[in-house]
Every structure is written in C-alpha cells, then in structure tokens.
Amino acid sequence: MIRAIRYSDIDTFRADRTAGSYLLRRTTPEGAPAGMAFFCPCGCGNESWMAFEGSGSPGSKWAFNGNLDNPTLHPSVHNTGMPCRWHGWLRDGYWEAC
Ligand SMILES: [Zn+2]
C-alpha cells in the first residue's frame, strides 16, 4: 500500500510529483471539494483528476467519504488514460493495487 499524501499548494504538488499524492480542488456550492488531482500511485509520474459525486461535472464520478486527510473513494480507480493502466483502490488514505 502507498500512503496518499495530501497537498494544499498546487505548485508544491506539481513540483514534487510524489507517487500517490493528491490535492483537493474546486468546491461545490456547498463548499465540499469537487474532485481530486493526484499523481499515479505506481510512480509513473502521470497526473490525473477524479470528479466527485455532487460536483456537477460530466463523465465519471467517484463517491468521496469527506475525509480530507484520509480519503476513501468508490468505485476503484483505473488509470485507463495512462500507459501504466494502474488499477486499485483509495481507502482510508492509502492506495492499494488490485
Ligand atoms: Zn502509473
């Protein structure tokens, strides 16, 4: 398992490019995060984005448990747009490959 490290500063986040790190971005009208930018847990260095349910974004959305530091998302994360095609889960702040 890989710890999902939370960043709040986008410049530091993108400078470090730490595998499995994430940054919650944008907010819904209710003030909740609208999604998560993250670096692939496999270490390939690719950044991706997951929109959360309730964000109003088109396309795939994930259910977020609301825990800012130890997030759980559902369903699983499948990086089909990346060469590595990493597939796994984010649970209680840890990434776990399938
Ligand atoms: Zn990867």
Side-chain angles (χ1 to χ4, degrees), residues 40-46 79 82-86:
C40 185
C42 92
C44 67
N46 285 301
N79 290 334
M82 297 183 187
C84 68
R85 301 183 67 82
W86 189 88

Side-chain angles (χ1 to χ4, degrees), residues 84-97:
C84 68
R85 301 183 67 82
W86 189 88
H87 186 202
W89 294 86
L90 177 55
R91 291 184 179 125
D92 296 327
Y94 287 88
W95 300 94
E96 188 173 359

Side-chain angles (χ1 to χ4, degrees), residues 5-95:
I5 300 165
R6 183 186 176 196
Y7 281 75
S8 53
D9 178 72
I10 187 72
D11 294 327
T12 308
F13 174 67
R14 288 191 170 145
D16 289 357
R17 307 185 79 82
T18 304
S21 63
Y22 69 99
L23 187 144
L24 299 165
R25 296 194 75 184
R26 309 180 193 145
T27 52
T28 66
E30 295 74 32
M36 171 187 287
F38 67 101
F39 283 103
C40 185
C42 92
C44 67
N46 285 301
E47 180 184 343
S48 191
W49 168 257
M50 291 184 286
F52 296 160
E53 289 179 354
S55 65
S57 299
S60 300
K61 284 180 276 299
W62 281 262
F64 168 51
N65 70 341
N67 189 321
L68 303 180
D69 293 309
N70 297 289
T72 294
L73 299 185
H74 189 91
S76 63
V77 180
H78 195 181
N79 290 334
T80 55
M82 297 183 187
C84 68
R85 301 183 67 82
W86 189 88
H87 186 202
W89 294 86
L90 177 55
R91 291 184 179 125
D92 296 327
Y94 287 88
W95 300 94

